[in-house]
């Protein structure tokens, strides 16, 4: 089982998430009642939808992570899964996203970062 499959297996059983087709048409999505939260695009690349406030609040930490890739102006962050720690990071960020979207009206997410991020493998 690859890292994205491992992350998906852990997340799709969360009661606030359900699987479906992503709006970008590639891979599989997990969505909450508030909209699409996660897109699994490949064995290692996952896009995560965060609120603008969350990105601003944690921008420095997100930029310092070798697993996170930000696209200016996008509320999606790309998480490149290279190890189990990256999977744990993704799960933590999904939890943060779900909490941030609580109490907000459902919205349709703008285009994710698929094909907008080129990830160079570490090491």
């Amino acid at each position: 089982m690859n890292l994205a499959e491992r992350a998906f297996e852990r997340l799709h059983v969360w009661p606030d998430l359900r699987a479906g087709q992503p709006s970008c048409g590639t891979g599989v999505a997990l969505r909450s009642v508030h909209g699409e939260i996660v897109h699994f695009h490949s064995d290692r690349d996952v896009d995560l939808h965060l609120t603008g406030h969350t990105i601003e609040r944690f921008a420095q930490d997100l930029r310092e992570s070798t697993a996170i890739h930000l696209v200016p102006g996008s509320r999606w962050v790309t998480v490149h899964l290279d190890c189990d720690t990256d999977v744990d990071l993704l799960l933590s960020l999904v939890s943060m996203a779900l909490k941030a979207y609580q109490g907000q009206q459902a919205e349709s997410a703008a285009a994710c970062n698929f094909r907008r991020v080129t990830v160079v493998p570490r090491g």
Side-chain angles (χ1 to χ4, degrees):
M1 181 179 297
N2 66 50
L3 292 168
E5 289 170 336
R6 197 172 312 154
F8 179 83
E9 287 298 314
R10 290 175 65 185
L11 286 169
H12 93 280
V13 297
W14 289 15
D16 294 340
L17 296 173
R18 69 181 191 283
Q21 182 70 25
S23 57
C24 66
T26 301
V28 65
L30 290 173
R31 53 185 309 113
S32 75
V33 296
H34 302 289
E36 295 180 12
I37 300 291
V38 186
H39 288 182
F40 290 87
H41 292 302
S42 71
D43 294 351
R44 293 183 181 264
D45 295 316
V46 179
D47 280 343
L48 171 66
H49 193 240
L50 297 173
T51 65
H53 176 73
T54 301
I55 291 174
E56 288 173 23
R57 183 173 178 206
F58 295 101
Q60 184 65 30
D61 295 315
L62 294 171
R63 284 188 189 95
E64 289 177 2
S65 172
T66 57
I68 304 290
H69 303 276
L70 301 173
V71 172
S74 176
R75 287 187 22 202
W76 290 86
V77 298
T78 299
V79 182
H80 185 72
L81 306 173
D82 269 337
C83 60
D84 289 330
T85 303
D86 296 339
V87 172
D88 293 338
L89 172 62
L90 174 65
L91 271 61
S92 295
L93 291 171
V94 170
S95 179
M96 187 178 356
L98 289 170
K99 183 174 173 87
Y101 281 111
Q102 284 180 351
Q104 290 191 12
Q105 195 170 22
E107 65 177 55
S108 98
C112 68
N113 293 341
F114 185 61
R115 294 194 176 109
R116 294 172 55 189
V117 171
T118 302
V119 178
V120 178
R122 287 183 240 170

